[in-house]
Amino acid sequence: MPLKLMTVDDSATIRRIVASCAAGLAPEVEVLEAEHGQRCLDLVARSRPDIIILDINMPVMGGEECLRRLKENPETAAIPVVMLTTESEKAVVLRMLRMGIAQFMIKPFTREEFGEKVGAVLEQHGLAELIGPLPLLPPGEYLLVVEDKPKVIEQIRAGAPEAWGIVATADPREALRILGARAPIAVVANLGLGPEKVFEMFAHMRRTPERQGVRYVASCLRTNEDLQARARAHGYLQLLLKPFTPEEMEALLRGWRRADVRATPSGDAYVIQAARGRFSEQADALLAAIDRAAEEGFVKILVELSPVDQADQERAAMWKLIADHASALGVRAIYVTRLEKVRTWLRAGAETRGLPVVAEVTEGLAALAA
Amino acid sequence: MLELVSEAALVGAADVFEMMARVRPAATEAPGPRVQGTWVSGIVGLGSERIRISLVVHFPLELARDLTARLLGDPRGARGENGHLVRDAVGEIANMIAGRVKSRVGSDRHPLAVSLPAVVEGREFAIAQGGRAERFSYRLQFPSGACWLEGAVFAPERRPPNGP
């Protein structure tokens, strides 16, 4: 039985993007298109969809009115509706949730985000058979390996502690679904599956709430320095270079234990300090701390990195990662580093996107208060 | 305010292209384009009682076709995209950037309203963002060409102290 999905948007481009995303979501898909709310109601009366992807701002009839009528009608009230809109105001999101939407997605979005969110809604509404079952997850802690080479999967298994389970898939979209079911210790993904696909999968995983504490490791050939540089430029600093020995795998795991990131509220700001470990080992713990700060309602954060002189390339990727992540969450960040040459370097570069860099935590707190 | 709006627009534009078209442009501050050949521009206005903002994205037609194909997940299909879809895509890009500006610049007390996007296509045209405003302009370089992101932030109109 095909998944019947309706996309309601006044933009033909968005309708086609949604149709294309839906095609990657289930083996068989039938897409119904409507350019405004009234057309949606007309179509729903004739052909009931399994799920509706609904914009808010449209001519003729907007998404809010359309949603109200769908929910008032007993014959259509149970159809799950996912809002897909540029509106991101808290008041709008809350109003839509009260009206009974199943999920809220903000444009722009990635195909992976679409797959995960719409897939989860279908599962919650008993329609999982339309998109296929999840693999059985092992009990306890596990590594999620996105890899198509059985030999590499076995090497990772050999290097990991015995108590850890290994779940392997060669499909980044499937990996997103697995991550949504239960967070692993780490995701190890082969860039050879398509670097852009893997970067996008990682980026989406980093934005999902289930990612707290998850580490992201990109694997690629030791000889492919270009790909390694691209991974670092995208903010993926932990690399597993192939071929690797069990000792190298163990060294990677030791690094996770070494990283020490502390996060404490100070007044109306949140102070995040990374004291030990290399940037690559701290990255995911730092991002998780920024997530926690945002979730707890802090809009001001102070990020202090350990005064360790590390490679410019790694440092640049780290700062850019923090700046982008804070910006996406609407958090105002100030950076603290005691090394003058690093401050000078940061102020001259574009990595911090023009955000302030200071020498001491007290100085940063004063700047945030001002 | 100009700094906040321009940063929100620039980060928003980078996100739109990176997340949806899977291509990240290199941005530089630069004066607006000299429109030669056929261009497509998307225009969106935002406003509250405190501020008015206009945003314009200008694309050479070939780049607009290329980005439309990328948005649709088919980078090799650029030549086949029809004019209507390319114009629609340019309007939607402007709309999504405006959405990001709205979320960064607006507040619960002073929400910004966003207009539906307007799209202009033609040869050697100019879009005047008239009135007293602070302005910004960025050149966004893609592998297949450059587009421009321009904005104007208008101060609120002042009423006379004893006026109606």
Side-chain angles (χ1 to χ4, degrees):
Chain A
M1 190 170 62
L3 166 67
K4 197 186 282 188
L5 177 145
M6 179 181 284
T7 166
V8 189
D9 201 302
D10 55 330
S11 164
T13 309
I14 295 295
R15 294 199 303 271
R16 279 191 47 181
I17 292 171
V18 168
S20 153
C21 291
L25 187 65
E28 287 182 80
V29 184
E30 180 187 343
V31 177
L32 308 168
E33 292 189 35
E35 64 275 25
H36 51 69
Q38 184 57 56
R39 177 92 177 125
C40 164
L41 297 175
D42 294 344
L43 277 175
V44 167
R46 293 205 299 270
S47 179
R48 190 182 192 281
D50 296 309
I51 187 166
I52 298 174
I53 314 296
L54 182 61
D55 187 19
I56 292 181
N57 295 318
M58 294 178 287
V60 184
M61 182 191 288
E64 193 164 346
E65 175 63 14
C66 177
L67 177 66
R68 190 180 62 76
R69 294 199 193 187
L70 285 167
K71 294 299 173 189
E72 277 177 1
N73 182 347
E75 289 185 12
T76 57
I79 301 172
V81 176
V82 175
M83 301 306 294
L84 177 60
T85 174
T86 56
E87 294 279 348
S88 57
E89 282 169 37
K90 210 171 173 179
V92 175
V93 179
L94 288 174
R95 195 164 67 238
M96 296 293 146
L97 287 169
R98 284 192 203 105
M99 289 173 76
I101 60 164
Q103 185 56 272
F104 199 95
M105 278 176 62
I106 295 166
K107 300 175 198 168
F109 60 98
T110 63
R111 286 163 190 272
E112 281 70 20
E113 181 182 4
F114 182 95
E116 195 206 349
K117 287 192 168 173
V118 174
V121 169
L122 290 169
E123 284 171 5
Q124 285 158 11
H125 287 76
L127 298 164
E129 79 276 7
L130 298 177
I131 53 173
L134 268 177
L136 202 59
L137 292 179
E141 297 184 307
Y142 76 102
L143 286 177
L144 176 54
V145 182
V146 189
E147 174 65 68
D148 58 346
K149 308 265 188 317
K151 192 176 162 192
V152 175
I153 297 168
E154 281 316 305
Q155 284 175 327
I156 292 172
R157 195 188 302 276
E162 270 184 32
W164 292 4
I166 303 281
V167 175
T169 172
D171 178 3
R173 192 168 55 81
E174 180 74 353
L176 283 170
R177 291 181 60 213
I178 297 168
L179 182 98
R182 181 154 57 83
I185 293 169
V187 184
V188 184
N190 176 12
L191 293 179
L193 293 170
E196 296 308 326
K197 267 200 302 192
V198 173
F199 292 145
E200 191 161 346
M201 176 194 77
F202 275 161
H204 179 62
M205 287 174 166
R206 277 184 162 156
R207 281 196 299 271
T208 60
E210 295 83 3
R211 64 155 294 277
Q212 298 269 343
V214 178
R215 288 92 169 177
Y216 299 95
V217 181
S219 71
C220 68
L221 287 176
R222 197 173 290 275
T223 49
N224 195 340
E225 290 179 2
D226 179 49
L227 200 51
Q228 293 166 32
R230 281 176 65 194
R232 290 192 183 99
H234 273 76
Y236 299 103
L237 309 180
Q238 292 209 290
L239 299 177
L240 185 59
L241 301 179
K242 295 183 285 193
F244 58 88
T245 62
E247 290 72 28
E248 285 172 311
M249 180 77 195
E250 282 171 28
L252 188 75
L253 306 182
R254 270 201 307 278
W256 297 343
R257 286 192 286 272
R258 193 164 55 229
D260 178 10
V261 174
R262 281 164 286 173
T264 45
S266 175
D268 64 345
Y270 209 79
V271 181
I272 299 167
Q273 292 166 299
R276 284 185 294 154
R278 294 188 63 84
F279 290 148
S280 57
E281 295 155 359
Q282 297 165 346
D284 294 304
L286 271 167
L287 297 189
I290 295 172
D291 284 348
R292 275 200 303 279
E295 277 169 22
E296 289 174 24
F298 287 90
V299 292
K300 299 173 185 176
I301 59 166
L302 208 67
V303 180
E304 181 180 27
L305 291 193
S306 54
V308 179
D309 192 12
Q310 298 187 3
D312 280 359
Q313 192 183 37
E314 195 170 297
R315 189 197 297 149
M318 186 71 212
W319 287 113
K320 181 175 176 299
L321 186 64
I322 295 171
D324 287 350
H325 199 73
S327 167
L329 292 170
V331 171
R332 184 174 174 228
I334 285 187
Y335 305 110
V336 182
T337 176
R338 289 178 193 154
L339 285 184
E340 189 181 349
K341 74 171 188 178
V342 176
R343 288 199 300 278
T344 308
W345 177 85
L346 278 170
R347 285 172 184 146
E351 286 75 18
T352 57
R353 296 192 186 276
L355 295 171
V357 183
V358 297
E360 296 291 338
V361 169
T362 48
E363 195 185 341
L365 287 172
L368 282 172
Chain B
M1 182 54 76
L2 179 73
E3 198 178 336
L4 181 64
V5 173
S6 62
E7 192 207 332
L10 187 58
V11 172
D15 282 350
V16 168
F17 295 120
E18 189 167 11
M19 293 171 78
M20 301 203 67
R22 300 180 189 225
V23 57
R24 188 168 188 92
T28 47
E29 278 191 66
R34 254 191 292 169
V35 176
Q36 291 174 328
T38 303
W39 283 60
V40 190
S41 299
I43 309 153
V44 179
L46 301 95
S48 70
E49 73 276 18
R50 298 176 72 198
I51 190 172
R52 282 189 302 123
I53 301 164
S54 78
L55 293 174
V56 186
V57 273
H58 301 284
F59 297 88
L61 181 59
E62 286 307 303
L63 177 60
R65 277 198 184 126
D66 175 54
L67 290 172
T68 302
R70 286 175 181 272
L71 280 170
L72 299 173
D74 180 17
R76 286 165 297 183
R79 299 277 158 189
E81 298 309 342
N82 65 49
H84 171 75
L85 201 60
V86 171
R87 286 191 293 276
D88 182 85
V90 167
E92 193 55 30
I93 288 168
N95 186 41
M96 287 190 277
I97 296 170
R100 284 300 177 94
V101 172
K102 177 181 175 171
S103 70
R104 290 291 302 277
V105 178
S107 65
D108 290 345
R109 284 182 61 197
H110 301 285
L112 280 167
V114 181
S115 73
L116 288 173
V119 178
V120 181
E121 180 182 347
R123 296 174 67 85
E124 296 175 15
F125 63 83
I127 295 171
Q129 294 173 296
R132 288 183 60 183
E134 293 184 287
R135 296 162 201 281
F136 63 87
S137 176
Y138 292 105
R139 182 179 196 269
L140 306 178
Q141 181 67 51
F142 296 89
S144 54
C147 75
W148 271 259
L149 170 65
E150 291 186 298
V153 179
F154 298 87
E157 289 172 16
R158 289 174 191 273
R159 292 179 180 171
N162 298 318

